[in-house]
Every structure is written in C-alpha cells, then in structure tokens.
mmCIF file of all heavy atoms in Angstrom:
data_model
loop_
_atom_site.group_PDB
_atom_site.id
_atom_site.type_symbol
_atom_site.label_atom_id
_atom_site.label_comp_id
_atom_site.label_asym_id
_atom_site.label_seq_id
_atom_site.Cartn_x
_atom_site.Cartn_y
_atom_site.Cartn_z
ATOM 1 N N GLU A 310 -10.230 17.497 -2.493
ATOM 2 C CA GLU A 310 -9.996 16.855 -3.785
ATOM 3 C C GLU A 310 -8.505 16.807 -4.093
ATOM 4 O O GLU A 310 -7.975 15.771 -4.501
ATOM 5 C CB GLU A 310 -10.737 17.598 -4.902
ATOM 6 C CG GLU A 310 -12.215 17.353 -4.938
ATOM 7 C CD GLU A 310 -12.908 18.067 -6.082
ATOM 8 O OE1 GLU A 310 -12.241 18.838 -6.825
ATOM 9 O OE2 GLU A 310 -14.118 17.855 -6.257
ATOM 10 N N ALA A 311 -7.818 17.924 -3.897
ATOM 11 C CA ALA A 311 -6.372 17.982 -4.154
ATOM 12 C C ALA A 311 -5.623 17.015 -3.235
ATOM 13 O O ALA A 311 -4.685 16.330 -3.669
ATOM 14 C CB ALA A 311 -5.856 19.403 -3.977
ATOM 15 N N THR A 312 -6.048 16.943 -1.985
ATOM 16 C CA THR A 312 -5.424 16.027 -1.029
ATOM 17 C C THR A 312 -5.619 14.579 -1.470
ATOM 18 O O THR A 312 -4.672 13.782 -1.435
ATOM 19 C CB THR A 312 -6.014 16.240 0.380
ATOM 20 O OG1 THR A 312 -5.754 17.583 0.779
ATOM 21 C CG2 THR A 312 -5.419 15.286 1.388
ATOM 22 N N TYR A 313 -6.832 14.229 -1.891
ATOM 23 C CA TYR A 313 -7.102 12.871 -2.356
ATOM 24 C C TYR A 313 -6.236 12.515 -3.568
ATOM 25 O O TYR A 313 -5.724 11.398 -3.669
ATOM 26 C CB TYR A 313 -8.575 12.689 -2.724
ATOM 27 C CG TYR A 313 -9.505 12.490 -1.557
ATOM 28 C CD1 TYR A 313 -10.841 12.830 -1.647
ATOM 29 C CD2 TYR A 313 -9.070 11.941 -0.357
ATOM 30 C CE1 TYR A 313 -11.717 12.629 -0.589
ATOM 31 C CE2 TYR A 313 -9.934 11.742 0.713
ATOM 32 C CZ TYR A 313 -11.257 12.087 0.585
ATOM 33 O OH TYR A 313 -12.122 11.887 1.641
ATOM 34 N N LEU A 314 -6.068 13.460 -4.490
ATOM 35 C CA LEU A 314 -5.253 13.189 -5.674
ATOM 36 C C LEU A 314 -3.781 13.011 -5.298
ATOM 37 O O LEU A 314 -3.104 12.121 -5.822
ATOM 38 C CB LEU A 314 -5.426 14.304 -6.705
ATOM 39 C CG LEU A 314 -6.828 14.417 -7.306
ATOM 40 C CD1 LEU A 314 -6.914 15.622 -8.239
ATOM 41 C CD2 LEU A 314 -7.230 13.147 -8.033
ATOM 42 N N ASP A 315 -3.289 13.835 -4.388
ATOM 43 C CA ASP A 315 -1.903 13.694 -3.918
ATOM 44 C C ASP A 315 -1.696 12.359 -3.213
ATOM 45 O O ASP A 315 -0.699 11.662 -3.446
ATOM 46 C CB ASP A 315 -1.521 14.840 -2.975
ATOM 47 C CG ASP A 315 -1.386 16.177 -3.680
ATOM 48 O OD1 ASP A 315 -1.259 16.190 -4.926
ATOM 49 O OD2 ASP A 315 -1.417 17.213 -2.984
ATOM 50 N N LEU A 316 -2.632 12.000 -2.345
ATOM 51 C CA LEU A 316 -2.523 10.722 -1.624
ATOM 52 C C LEU A 316 -2.596 9.535 -2.582
ATOM 53 O O LEU A 316 -1.900 8.526 -2.385
ATOM 54 C CB LEU A 316 -3.619 10.614 -0.568
ATOM 55 C CG LEU A 316 -3.445 11.495 0.668
ATOM 56 C CD1 LEU A 316 -4.700 11.440 1.551
ATOM 57 C CD2 LEU A 316 -2.224 11.070 1.462
ATOM 58 N N ALA A 317 -3.396 9.644 -3.614
ATOM 59 C CA ALA A 317 -3.485 8.560 -4.598
ATOM 60 C C ALA A 317 -2.149 8.379 -5.314
ATOM 61 O O ALA A 317 -1.704 7.243 -5.527
ATOM 62 C CB ALA A 317 -4.600 8.847 -5.603
ATOM 63 N N ALA A 318 -1.498 9.477 -5.650
ATOM 64 C CA ALA A 318 -0.189 9.387 -6.304
ATOM 65 C C ALA A 318 0.836 8.743 -5.373
ATOM 66 O O ALA A 318 1.621 7.882 -5.799
ATOM 67 C CB ALA A 318 0.277 10.773 -6.739
ATOM 68 N N GLU A 319 0.814 9.135 -4.105
ATOM 69 C CA GLU A 319 1.728 8.540 -3.128
ATOM 70 C C GLU A 319 1.431 7.050 -2.936
ATOM 71 O O GLU A 319 2.350 6.235 -2.838
ATOM 72 C CB GLU A 319 1.622 9.265 -1.791
ATOM 73 C CG GLU A 319 2.165 10.670 -1.807
ATOM 74 C CD GLU A 319 1.888 11.429 -0.514
ATOM 75 O OE1 GLU A 319 1.587 10.794 0.524
ATOM 76 O OE2 GLU A 319 1.969 12.663 -0.549
ATOM 77 N N THR A 320 0.153 6.704 -2.892
ATOM 78 C CA THR A 320 -0.249 5.305 -2.729
ATOM 79 C C THR A 320 0.209 4.476 -3.920
ATOM 80 O O THR A 320 0.693 3.345 -3.762
ATOM 81 C CB THR A 320 -1.779 5.207 -2.553
ATOM 82 O OG1 THR A 320 -2.166 5.985 -1.420
ATOM 83 C CG2 THR A 320 -2.237 3.779 -2.357
ATOM 84 N N LEU A 321 0.069 5.026 -5.114
ATOM 85 C CA LEU A 321 0.511 4.323 -6.313
ATOM 86 C C LEU A 321 2.023 4.103 -6.288
ATOM 87 O O LEU A 321 2.505 3.013 -6.619
ATOM 88 C CB LEU A 321 0.095 5.112 -7.556
ATOM 89 C CG LEU A 321 0.407 4.468 -8.904
ATOM 90 C CD1 LEU A 321 -0.252 3.099 -9.031
ATOM 91 C CD2 LEU A 321 -0.041 5.390 -10.027
ATOM 92 N N ASP A 322 2.773 5.120 -5.878
ATOM 93 C CA ASP A 322 4.231 4.981 -5.762
ATOM 94 C C ASP A 322 4.594 3.883 -4.772
ATOM 95 O O ASP A 322 5.474 3.060 -5.039
ATOM 96 C CB ASP A 322 4.874 6.302 -5.333
ATOM 97 C CG ASP A 322 4.858 7.355 -6.425
ATOM 98 O OD1 ASP A 322 4.650 6.991 -7.612
ATOM 99 O OD2 ASP A 322 5.056 8.543 -6.098
ATOM 100 N N HIS A 323 3.923 3.875 -3.633
ATOM 101 C CA HIS A 323 4.206 2.861 -2.612
ATOM 102 C C HIS A 323 3.854 1.460 -3.121
ATOM 103 O O HIS A 323 4.609 0.502 -2.913
ATOM 104 C CB HIS A 323 3.440 3.158 -1.318
ATOM 105 C CG HIS A 323 3.637 2.105 -0.276
ATOM 106 N ND1 HIS A 323 4.833 1.909 0.375
ATOM 107 C CD2 HIS A 323 2.789 1.165 0.211
ATOM 108 C CE1 HIS A 323 4.721 0.902 1.221
ATOM 109 N NE2 HIS A 323 3.480 0.429 1.143
ATOM 110 N N ALA A 324 2.726 1.333 -3.792
ATOM 111 C CA ALA A 324 2.323 0.032 -4.325
ATOM 112 C C ALA A 324 3.343 -0.467 -5.347
ATOM 113 O O ALA A 324 3.663 -1.660 -5.376
ATOM 114 C CB ALA A 324 0.928 0.119 -4.950
ATOM 115 N N ALA A 325 3.855 0.437 -6.177
ATOM 116 C CA ALA A 325 4.874 0.048 -7.158
ATOM 117 C C ALA A 325 6.125 -0.469 -6.452
ATOM 118 O O ALA A 325 6.730 -1.448 -6.904
ATOM 119 C CB ALA A 325 5.216 1.232 -8.054
ATOM 120 N N GLU A 326 6.499 0.170 -5.347
ATOM 121 C CA GLU A 326 7.656 -0.291 -4.573
ATOM 122 C C GLU A 326 7.410 -1.699 -4.030
ATOM 123 O O GLU A 326 8.290 -2.562 -4.107
ATOM 124 C CB GLU A 326 7.939 0.665 -3.415
ATOM 125 C CG GLU A 326 8.480 2.002 -3.831
ATOM 126 C CD GLU A 326 8.586 2.979 -2.657
ATOM 127 O OE1 GLU A 326 8.397 2.564 -1.494
ATOM 128 O OE2 GLU A 326 8.848 4.162 -2.918
ATOM 129 N N VAL A 327 6.223 -1.932 -3.481
ATOM 130 C CA VAL A 327 5.884 -3.252 -2.939
ATOM 131 C C VAL A 327 5.910 -4.298 -4.051
ATOM 132 O O VAL A 327 6.450 -5.399 -3.883
ATOM 133 C CB VAL A 327 4.506 -3.235 -2.233
ATOM 134 C CG1 VAL A 327 4.050 -4.643 -1.870
ATOM 135 C CG2 VAL A 327 4.554 -2.357 -0.988
ATOM 136 N N LEU A 328 5.345 -3.965 -5.204
ATOM 137 C CA LEU A 328 5.299 -4.916 -6.318
ATOM 138 C C LEU A 328 6.682 -5.220 -6.879
ATOM 139 O O LEU A 328 6.899 -6.282 -7.474
ATOM 140 C CB LEU A 328 4.377 -4.399 -7.419
ATOM 141 C CG LEU A 328 2.892 -4.363 -7.066
ATOM 142 C CD1 LEU A 328 2.105 -3.637 -8.151
ATOM 143 C CD2 LEU A 328 2.359 -5.768 -6.856
ATOM 144 N N ASN A 329 7.615 -4.300 -6.712
ATOM 145 C CA ASN A 329 8.973 -4.504 -7.216
ATOM 146 C C ASN A 329 9.866 -5.274 -6.245
ATOM 147 O O ASN A 329 11.010 -5.586 -6.582
ATOM 148 C CB ASN A 329 9.620 -3.169 -7.578
ATOM 149 C CG ASN A 329 9.066 -2.606 -8.872
ATOM 150 O OD1 ASN A 329 8.759 -3.353 -9.784
ATOM 151 N ND2 ASN A 329 8.928 -1.301 -8.928
ATOM 152 N N LEU A 330 9.347 -5.564 -5.059
ATOM 153 C CA LEU A 330 10.135 -6.363 -4.118
ATOM 154 C C LEU A 330 10.309 -7.772 -4.683
ATOM 155 O O LEU A 330 9.354 -8.348 -5.209
ATOM 156 C CB LEU A 330 9.448 -6.438 -2.756
ATOM 157 C CG LEU A 330 9.357 -5.137 -1.949
ATOM 158 C CD1 LEU A 330 8.498 -5.355 -0.708
ATOM 159 C CD2 LEU A 330 10.751 -4.661 -1.565
ATOM 160 N N PRO A 331 11.517 -8.348 -4.567
ATOM 161 C CA PRO A 331 11.740 -9.694 -5.104
ATOM 162 C C PRO A 331 10.791 -10.733 -4.491
ATOM 163 O O PRO A 331 10.303 -11.613 -5.190
ATOM 164 C CB PRO A 331 13.185 -10.008 -4.737
ATOM 165 C CG PRO A 331 13.793 -8.729 -4.315
ATOM 166 C CD PRO A 331 12.693 -7.780 -3.973
ATOM 167 N N GLU A 332 10.552 -10.622 -3.222
ATOM 168 C CA GLU A 332 9.640 -11.554 -2.545
ATOM 169 C C GLU A 332 8.656 -10.749 -1.701
ATOM 170 O O GLU A 332 8.803 -10.652 -0.486
ATOM 171 C CB GLU A 332 10.429 -12.530 -1.673
ATOM 172 C CG GLU A 332 11.319 -13.450 -2.479
ATOM 173 C CD GLU A 332 12.041 -14.461 -1.607
ATOM 174 O OE1 GLU A 332 11.538 -14.780 -0.513
ATOM 175 O OE2 GLU A 332 13.110 -14.918 -2.036
ATOM 176 N N ALA A 333 7.667 -10.188 -2.377
ATOM 177 C CA ALA A 333 6.683 -9.368 -1.673
ATOM 178 C C ALA A 333 5.863 -10.239 -0.729
ATOM 179 O O ALA A 333 5.381 -11.310 -1.106
ATOM 180 C CB ALA A 333 5.779 -8.659 -2.664
ATOM 181 N N ASP A 334 5.721 -9.775 0.483
ATOM 182 C CA ASP A 334 4.954 -10.463 1.516
ATOM 183 C C ASP A 334 3.462 -10.363 1.193
ATOM 184 O O ASP A 334 2.978 -9.324 0.742
ATOM 185 C CB ASP A 334 5.271 -9.787 2.861
ATOM 186 C CG ASP A 334 4.566 -10.424 4.019
ATOM 187 O OD1 ASP A 334 3.441 -9.986 4.309
ATOM 188 O OD2 ASP A 334 5.142 -11.344 4.621
ATOM 189 N N THR A 335 2.720 -11.421 1.420
ATOM 190 C CA THR A 335 1.276 -11.437 1.154
ATOM 191 C C THR A 335 0.562 -10.336 1.917
ATOM 192 O O THR A 335 -0.342 -9.676 1.381
ATOM 193 C CB THR A 335 0.675 -12.808 1.548
ATOM 194 O OG1 THR A 335 1.376 -13.830 0.861
ATOM 195 C CG2 THR A 335 -0.791 -12.881 1.197
ATOM 196 N N GLU A 336 0.964 -10.117 3.142
ATOM 197 C CA GLU A 336 0.344 -9.072 3.964
ATOM 198 C C GLU A 336 0.590 -7.688 3.362
ATOM 199 O O GLU A 336 -0.309 -6.845 3.324
ATOM 200 C CB GLU A 336 0.917 -9.145 5.385
ATOM 201 C CG GLU A 336 0.092 -8.434 6.419
ATOM 202 C CD GLU A 336 0.614 -8.720 7.822
ATOM 203 O OE1 GLU A 336 0.714 -9.904 8.197
ATOM 204 O OE2 GLU A 336 0.923 -7.734 8.513
ATOM 205 N N ASP A 337 1.813 -7.447 2.868
ATOM 206 C CA ASP A 337 2.128 -6.162 2.239
ATOM 207 C C ASP A 337 1.339 -5.982 0.941
ATOM 208 O O ASP A 337 0.865 -4.882 0.652
ATOM 209 C CB ASP A 337 3.626 -6.054 1.957
ATOM 210 C CG ASP A 337 4.457 -5.918 3.213
ATOM 211 O OD1 ASP A 337 3.907 -5.454 4.243
ATOM 212 O OD2 ASP A 337 5.661 -6.268 3.182
ATOM 213 N N LEU A 338 1.218 -7.044 0.165
ATOM 214 C CA LEU A 338 0.442 -6.972 -1.079
ATOM 215 C C LEU A 338 -1.028 -6.685 -0.800
ATOM 216 O O LEU A 338 -1.660 -5.884 -1.495
ATOM 217 C CB LEU A 338 0.576 -8.271 -1.872
ATOM 218 C CG LEU A 338 1.941 -8.529 -2.503
ATOM 219 C CD1 LEU A 338 2.011 -9.944 -3.050
ATOM 220 C CD2 LEU A 338 2.229 -7.506 -3.585
ATOM 221 N N ARG A 339 -1.569 -7.326 0.225
ATOM 222 C CA ARG A 339 -2.971 -7.094 0.592
ATOM 223 C C ARG A 339 -3.167 -5.642 1.054
ATOM 224 O O ARG A 339 -4.139 -4.984 0.662
ATOM 225 C CB ARG A 339 -3.408 -8.068 1.680
ATOM 226 C CG ARG A 339 -4.886 -7.886 2.066
ATOM 227 C CD ARG A 339 -5.366 -8.959 3.021
ATOM 228 N NE ARG A 339 -5.609 -10.178 2.240
ATOM 229 C CZ ARG A 339 -5.023 -11.347 2.472
ATOM 230 N NH1 ARG A 339 -4.177 -11.482 3.454
ATOM 231 N NH2 ARG A 339 -5.309 -12.386 1.726
ATOM 232 N N ALA A 340 -2.253 -5.141 1.860
ATOM 233 C CA ALA A 340 -2.355 -3.764 2.345
ATOM 234 C C ALA A 340 -2.252 -2.773 1.187
ATOM 235 O O ALA A 340 -3.018 -1.805 1.109
ATOM 236 C CB ALA A 340 -1.272 -3.483 3.389
ATOM 237 N N ALA A 341 -1.323 -3.020 0.267
ATOM 238 C CA ALA A 341 -1.178 -2.139 -0.891
ATOM 239 C C ALA A 341 -2.441 -2.163 -1.751
ATOM 240 O O ALA A 341 -2.898 -1.117 -2.228
ATOM 241 C CB ALA A 341 0.044 -2.543 -1.710
ATOM 242 N N SER A 342 -3.010 -3.355 -1.943
ATOM 243 C CA SER A 342 -4.242 -3.476 -2.731
ATOM 244 C C SER A 342 -5.398 -2.737 -2.075
ATOM 245 O O SER A 342 -6.178 -2.050 -2.749
ATOM 246 C CB SER A 342 -4.620 -4.951 -2.902
ATOM 247 O OG SER A 342 -3.627 -5.632 -3.608
ATOM 248 N N THR A 343 -5.511 -2.865 -0.777
ATOM 249 C CA THR A 343 -6.572 -2.182 -0.031
ATOM 250 C C THR A 343 -6.409 -0.666 -0.143
ATOM 251 O O THR A 343 -7.384 0.060 -0.394
ATOM 252 C CB THR A 343 -6.554 -2.611 1.447
ATOM 253 O OG1 THR A 343 -6.746 -4.024 1.509
ATOM 254 C CG2 THR A 343 -7.630 -1.915 2.254
ATOM 255 N N ASP A 344 -5.175 -0.193 0.020
ATOM 256 C CA ASP A 344 -4.908 1.244 -0.089
ATOM 257 C C ASP A 344 -5.203 1.761 -1.492
ATOM 258 O O ASP A 344 -5.761 2.847 -1.667
ATOM 259 C CB ASP A 344 -3.460 1.553 0.288
ATOM 260 C CG ASP A 344 -3.169 1.321 1.756
ATOM 261 O OD1 ASP A 344 -4.126 1.190 2.556
ATOM 262 O OD2 ASP A 344 -1.965 1.257 2.118
ATOM 263 N N LEU A 345 -4.823 0.977 -2.509
ATOM 264 C CA LEU A 345 -5.097 1.374 -3.893
ATOM 265 C C LEU A 345 -6.601 1.447 -4.171
ATOM 266 O O LEU A 345 -7.072 2.369 -4.835
ATOM 267 C CB LEU A 345 -4.442 0.403 -4.872
ATOM 268 C CG LEU A 345 -2.942 0.558 -5.065
ATOM 269 C CD1 LEU A 345 -2.391 -0.618 -5.863
ATOM 270 C CD2 LEU A 345 -2.614 1.870 -5.756
ATOM 271 N N ALA A 346 -7.343 0.472 -3.664
ATOM 272 C CA ALA A 346 -8.797 0.470 -3.870
ATOM 273 C C ALA A 346 -9.438 1.697 -3.224
ATOM 274 O O ALA A 346 -10.308 2.342 -3.824
ATOM 275 C CB ALA A 346 -9.402 -0.818 -3.312
ATOM 276 N N GLU A 347 -9.011 2.025 -2.014
ATOM 277 C CA GLU A 347 -9.549 3.203 -1.327
ATOM 278 C C GLU A 347 -9.206 4.477 -2.091
ATOM 279 O O GLU A 347 -10.054 5.356 -2.280
ATOM 280 C CB GLU A 347 -8.998 3.274 0.095
ATOM 281 C CG GLU A 347 -9.547 4.431 0.896
ATOM 282 C CD GLU A 347 -9.001 4.474 2.307
ATOM 283 O OE1 GLU A 347 -8.471 3.461 2.798
ATOM 284 O OE2 GLU A 347 -9.110 5.545 2.933
ATOM 285 N N ALA A 348 -7.958 4.579 -2.558
ATOM 286 C CA ALA A 348 -7.538 5.756 -3.315
ATOM 287 C C ALA A 348 -8.337 5.878 -4.606
ATOM 288 O O ALA A 348 -8.742 6.980 -5.004
ATOM 289 C CB ALA A 348 -6.042 5.692 -3.607
ATOM 290 N N LEU A 349 -8.598 4.746 -5.257
ATOM 291 C CA LEU A 349 -9.348 4.762 -6.507
ATOM 292 C C LEU A 349 -10.780 5.251 -6.290
ATOM 293 O O LEU A 349 -11.309 6.020 -7.099
ATOM 294 C CB LEU A 349 -9.342 3.373 -7.148
ATOM 295 C CG LEU A 349 -10.018 3.250 -8.508
ATOM 296 C CD1 LEU A 349 -9.393 4.201 -9.526
ATOM 297 C CD2 LEU A 349 -9.924 1.812 -9.001
ATOM 298 N N VAL A 350 -11.402 4.849 -5.212
ATOM 299 C CA VAL A 350 -12.748 5.328 -4.890
ATOM 300 C C VAL A 350 -12.757 6.855 -4.791
ATOM 301 O O VAL A 350 -13.623 7.528 -5.365
ATOM 302 C CB VAL A 350 -13.261 4.688 -3.578
ATOM 303 C CG1 VAL A 350 -14.501 5.400 -3.063
ATOM 304 C CG2 VAL A 350 -13.541 3.214 -3.775
ATOM 305 N N HIS A 351 -11.771 7.407 -4.078
ATOM 306 C CA HIS A 351 -11.700 8.865 -3.914
ATOM 307 C C HIS A 351 -11.430 9.562 -5.250
ATOM 308 O O HIS A 351 -12.062 10.572 -5.573
ATOM 309 C CB HIS A 351 -10.618 9.240 -2.906
ATOM 310 C CG HIS A 351 -10.928 8.834 -1.507
ATOM 311 N ND1 HIS A 351 -12.065 9.227 -0.834
ATOM 312 C CD2 HIS A 351 -10.237 8.066 -0.629
ATOM 313 C CE1 HIS A 351 -12.073 8.727 0.379
ATOM 314 N NE2 HIS A 351 -10.973 8.008 0.534
ATOM 315 N N VAL A 352 -10.496 9.031 -6.034
ATOM 316 C CA VAL A 352 -10.142 9.651 -7.310
ATOM 317 C C VAL A 352 -11.315 9.603 -8.286
ATOM 318 O O VAL A 352 -11.568 10.570 -9.009
ATOM 319 C CB VAL A 352 -8.884 8.980 -7.906
ATOM 320 C CG1 VAL A 352 -8.656 9.398 -9.344
ATOM 321 C CG2 VAL A 352 -7.659 9.328 -7.061
ATOM 322 N N LEU A 353 -12.048 8.503 -8.302
ATOM 323 C CA LEU A 353 -13.211 8.422 -9.188
ATOM 324 C C LEU A 353 -14.282 9.431 -8.799
ATOM 325 O O LEU A 353 -14.933 10.027 -9.660
ATOM 326 C CB LEU A 353 -13.782 7.002 -9.191
ATOM 327 C CG LEU A 353 -12.940 5.959 -9.923
ATOM 328 C CD1 LEU A 353 -13.521 4.562 -9.717
ATOM 329 C CD2 LEU A 353 -12.823 6.284 -11.396
ATOM 330 N N ARG A 354 -14.463 9.644 -7.497
ATOM 331 C CA ARG A 354 -15.449 10.637 -7.043
ATOM 332 C C ARG A 354 -15.000 12.043 -7.462
ATOM 333 O O ARG A 354 -15.809 12.850 -7.919
ATOM 334 C CB ARG A 354 -15.654 10.567 -5.534
ATOM 335 C CG ARG A 354 -16.766 11.514 -5.052
ATOM 336 C CD ARG A 354 -16.945 11.454 -3.560
ATOM 337 N NE ARG A 354 -17.398 10.166 -3.114
ATOM 338 C CZ ARG A 354 -18.668 9.874 -2.840
ATOM 339 N NH1 ARG A 354 -19.591 10.780 -2.970
ATOM 340 N NH2 ARG A 354 -18.998 8.673 -2.423
ATOM 341 N N VAL A 355 -13.707 12.326 -7.327
ATOM 342 C CA VAL A 355 -13.172 13.628 -7.745
ATOM 343 C C VAL A 355 -13.368 13.794 -9.249
ATOM 344 O O VAL A 355 -13.821 14.848 -9.713
ATOM 345 C CB VAL A 355 -11.681 13.773 -7.362
ATOM 346 C CG1 VAL A 355 -11.065 15.005 -8.013
ATOM 347 C CG2 VAL A 355 -11.520 13.836 -5.840
ATOM 348 N N ALA A 356 -13.049 12.764 -10.021
ATOM 349 C CA ALA A 356 -13.197 12.837 -11.474
ATOM 350 C C ALA A 356 -14.659 13.059 -11.870
ATOM 351 O O ALA A 356 -14.953 13.868 -12.751
ATOM 352 C CB ALA A 356 -12.656 11.559 -12.116
#
C-alpha cells in the first residue's frame, strides 16, 4: 500500500512535467495518462 501511494505521487509529478511541456508529444501524453489511470486504480483500492 505504501509503495503504491509513493508511486502514485511520483507518477503525478511526472505527468505534471509532461503537461507543462510547451509541445507535449501525443505518445508522452498517452503514456502519462495510462500511468495515471493505473496509479489511480491502486490508490482507490488502498483508500
């Protein structure tokens, strides 16, 4: 559970970096979205 919460925080930080890119690549946005969705599934189960 602690690992999932830590990874979710790291994933959120990374997604914010991707979203702040002036010209974010579609592939990077898709990967960030996929990672965020997976992290959210784990965090909701922990919650």
Side-chain angles (χ1 to χ4, degrees):
E310 284 182 356
T312 300
Y313 281 154
L314 295 176
D315 290 343
L316 287 172
E319 291 173 18
T320 302
L321 184 58
D322 289 343
H323 177 69
E326 290 173 9
V327 171
L328 291 171
N329 285 325
L330 293 173
E332 295 183 25
D334 181 270
T335 304
E336 198 172 304
D337 290 336
L338 290 170
R339 182 173 282 122
S342 298
T343 301
D344 292 345
L345 283 170
E347 182 179 342
L349 184 58
V350 167
H351 292 303
V352 168
L353 288 173
R354 185 181 295 262
V355 170

